[in-house]
RNA sequence: GUGGCUAUAGCUCAGUUGGUUAGAGCACUGGAUUGUGGUUCCAGGGGUCGGGGGUUCAAAUCCCCUUAGCCACCCCA
């Protein structure tokens, strides 16, 4: 009786075809983060339960995988990278200095119900700047998102920016500060259920009056250029100090972004985004793909005033965002942006007979030293078989060097998409490497 | 967590009012072609019909339970 091979609900295997673009995406994220000066860190998958359940209480029990280890310690698996960052920062900030900019790519686990694009094990790609309150860091966070999406290959996307202080300032003005959580939750559904139902929910659940609900909804109906939108917002928040700070924050982000060359198409105010994380206190970002808005935000983040207050007396403000790798890959798949490749190598080296093995090994080593990925076929099967293998795996090229070629100290390089071959001296590995790279280029 | 839909070969699916040995396309392996892939032709392997229980002379087909997936809602650190 064999054990049925299967994976847990919400957990997935990745075949090369999906793992290759996945790794590429992570590499792109790392490159962009590094280009802004963020440094890599890592933290354990397991933490003491008390670290992770700091504020969640009962709710976190449902969401988090937790258990008792063999030493009787109560432990939990991290469900995001922000809480571990808070612990990490509280523990190490004196060695790190401020500001501290880090990126962190890694899996997190959530024991909640699964949906399309939502799994129990997922990769997060976070970057944060902690230890400073500067608006420059707020702005830079948006710039990273912008550069990241461009580096991945997106042209049509919208980074929506908002500021928590704006919303709270308005609510303060209206005397609704106490109910802000319920009201923001309602406001966040705007795109989904429309303004009328949002107003209804605000009145029913949030305790707002009709006119209060309408004023909150005005936030979401701005028009005109940056300056006039900011003017409208300033008017809405009136003399609320908090609200004015929010307007100023947004102004700084918009001006900076324009100075850095970010177009109005790619980054704009959307005062209705309110979603999520309770701990955000300032600027908020959410990013949508214009060609696939239904998939939701693929990169979100914002500013939080005191990341690590649960763990240290030191005040540690921060700002950052997180790329939802799995959701983004699902989107790219749907948009046909992922070409199917079954191999990461550039060329297949056909194996004729053991007599040529030393030459093959020497050639392969020389090509690899020049940055060309080479796969040597491991057995002397028929050439047709080996070429078919190369074709199906998506190799762009094959090197063919049988007894005849080797006797002449030559090899053939066959471009598998055009079908054309050319001959090179076996020793001229620089020329071969260059020709292979030409085949591999799109 | 609530409600609905679904599960047949590696993948996409057919399978009549319950009826005898469960099929197709693609993929895979071998051959036609002993040194040139993608096309074509031939052959082959691969299924306890998601799992368990029940009804029946007889179940892929009907009933119950369970697991997994999809959709909507709830929630979202």
């Amino acid at each position: 009786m064999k054990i049925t091979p299967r994976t847990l609900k919400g957990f997935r295997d990745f075949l090369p075809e999906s793992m290759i673009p996945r790794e590429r995406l992570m590499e792109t994220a790392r490159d962009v983060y590094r280009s802004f000066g963020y440094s890599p860190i890592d933290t354990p998958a397991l933490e003491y339960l008390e670290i992770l359940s700091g504020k969640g209480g009962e709710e976190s029990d449902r969401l988090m995988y937790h258990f008792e280890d063999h030493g009787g310690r109560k432990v939990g698996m991290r469900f995001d990278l922000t809480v571990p960052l808070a612990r990490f920062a509280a523990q190490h900030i004196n060695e790190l200095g401020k500001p501290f900019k880090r990126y962190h790519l890694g899996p997190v686990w959530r024991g909640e119900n699964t949906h399309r694009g939502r799994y129990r094990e997922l990769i997060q790609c976070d970057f944060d700047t902690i230890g400073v309150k500067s608006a420059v860091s707020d702005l830079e966070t948006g710039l990273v998102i912008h550069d990241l999406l461009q580096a991945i290959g997106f042209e049509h996307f919208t980074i929506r920016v908002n500021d928590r202080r704006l919303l709270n300032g308005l609510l303060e003005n209206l005397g609704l500060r106490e109910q802000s959580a319920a009201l923001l939750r309602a406001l966040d559904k705007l795109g989904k259920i429309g303004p009328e139902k949002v107003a209804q929910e605000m009145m029913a659940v949030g305790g707002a009056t009709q006119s209060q609900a309408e004023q909150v909804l005005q936030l979401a109906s701005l028009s005109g250029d940056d300056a006039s939108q900011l003017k409208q917002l300033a008017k809405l928040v009136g003399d609320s100090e908090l609200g004015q700070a929010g307007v100023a924050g947004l102004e700084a982000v918009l001006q900076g972004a324009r100075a850095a060359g970010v177009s109005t198409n790619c980054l704009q105010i959307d005062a209705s985004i309110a979603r999520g994380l309770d701990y955000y206190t300032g600027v908020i970002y959410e990013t949508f793909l214009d060609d696939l808005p239904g998939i939701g935000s693929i990169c979100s983040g914002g500013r939080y005033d005191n990341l690590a207050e649960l763990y240290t007396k030191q005040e540690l403000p921060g700002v950052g965002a997180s790329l939802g790798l799995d959701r983004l890959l699902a989107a790219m798949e749907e948009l046909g942006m992922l070409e199917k490749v079954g191999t990461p190598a550039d060329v297949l080296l056909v194996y004729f007979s053991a007599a040529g093995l030393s030459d093959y090994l020497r050639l392969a080593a020389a090509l690899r030293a020049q940055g060309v990925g080479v796969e040597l076929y491991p057995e002397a099967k028929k050439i047709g078989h080996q070429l078919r293998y190369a074709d199906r795996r998506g190799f762009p090229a094959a090197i063919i060097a049988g007894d005849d070629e080797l006797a002449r100290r030559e090899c053939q390089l066959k471009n598998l998409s055009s079908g054309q071959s050319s001959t090179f001296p076996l020793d001229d590995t620089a020329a071969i490497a260059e020709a292979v790279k030409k085949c591999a280029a799109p």
Side-chain angles (χ1 to χ4, degrees), chain A residues 76-390:
Chain A
M77 293 169 82
R78 65 182 183 210
F79 49 79
D80 72 4
L81 298 178
T82 305
V83 172
L85 171 64
R87 192 226 79 220
F88 179 96
Q91 207 170 325
H92 302 293
I93 193 65
N94 291 330
E95 306 155 55
L96 296 166
K98 297 191 251 184
F100 173 60
K101 299 171 79 170
R102 80 89 173 84
Y103 71 84
H104 189 181
L105 276 54
V108 304
W109 296 269
R110 295 178 180 174
E112 60 186 336
N113 213 346
T114 56
H115 291 287
R116 179 169 75 119
R118 233 169 127 168
Y119 306 96
R120 288 183 171 175
E121 180 178 56
L122 55 142
I123 301 279
Q124 289 205 327
C125 307
D126 281 32
F127 64 96
D128 289 86
T129 303
I130 60 180
V132 287
K133 289 184 165 173
S134 164
V136 175
S137 298
D138 292 355
L139 158 67
E140 203 173 46
T141 300
L143 296 181
V144 172
I145 298 174
H146 175 262
D147 284 14
L148 177 56
L149 285 163
Q150 283 201 330
I152 292 166
F154 286 104
E155 285 165 11
H156 308 292
F157 59 87
T158 308
I159 303 167
R160 298 188 189 158
V161 56
N162 191 12
D163 196 299
R164 261 292 160 80
R165 290 169 294 184
L166 198 68
L167 293 156
N168 287 331
L170 175 66
L171 296 179
E172 194 177 83
N173 251 8
L174 298 171
L176 291 169
R177 191 65 203 277
E178 301 296 308
Q179 297 96 296
S180 76
L183 291 170
L184 294 186
R185 202 174 298 145
L187 181 60
D188 187 57
K189 295 180 185 168
L190 183 61
K192 227 174 182 178
I193 62 176
E196 279 156 37
K197 289 197 172 167
V198 169
Q200 277 171 19
E201 183 170 334
M202 283 179 175
M203 290 184 274
V205 187
T209 66
Q210 174 104 32
S211 101
Q212 285 172 327
E214 277 166 13
Q215 286 196 63
V216 174
L217 279 166
Q218 274 184 43
L219 280 176
S221 51
L222 303 174
S223 57
D225 58 13
D226 292 350
S228 81
Q229 293 193 21
L230 288 166
K231 205 176 283 175
Q232 292 167 55
L233 289 173
K235 206 167 159 191
L236 274 171
V237 297
D239 51 8
S240 156
E241 216 172 286
L242 201 58
Q244 291 300 341
V247 175
L250 278 182
E251 188 171 11
V253 167
L254 288 171
Q255 278 181 2
R258 302 308 175 224
V262 175
S263 75
T264 41
N265 292 334
C266 290
L267 187 144
Q268 49 193 252
I269 299 178
D270 180 343
S272 74
I273 62 164
R275 189 186 176 74
L277 335 187
D278 279 344
Y279 55 63
Y280 288 140
T281 51
V283 66
I284 308 175
Y285 292 103
E286 295 222 331
T287 311
F288 295 84
L289 301 175
D290 297 350
D291 299 324
L292 203 58
I295 200 141
S297 173
I298 45 141
C299 190
S300 353
R303 171 166 286 282
Y304 35 85
D305 274 343
N306 202 351
L307 175 69
E309 63 185 337
L310 288 171
Y311 316 107
T312 177
K313 281 183 192 162
Q314 264 200 78
E315 194 184 25
L316 285 175
V319 59
S322 179
L323 176 73
L325 188 80
D326 295 277
R327 196 181 269 191
L328 183 61
L329 278 164
M332 291 174 76
E333 166 106 59
E334 214 165 316
L335 293 172
M337 290 174 71
L338 302 178
E339 56 171 324
K340 292 203 166 176
V341 279
T343 177
D346 303 305
V347 64
L348 180 78
L349 181 46
V350 174
Y351 184 133
F352 279 82
S353 68
L357 183 57
S358 313
D359 282 321
Y360 298 149
L361 293 171
R362 202 175 302 124
L363 176 60
L367 291 176
R368 287 184 194 118
Q370 291 172 76
V372 172
V374 183
E375 178 173 338
L376 173 62
Y377 199 84
E379 351 172 48
K381 288 219 177 179
K382 288 191 305 189
I383 181 171
H385 182 90
Q386 296 188 42
L387 286 176
R388 196 149 64 119
Y389 169 82

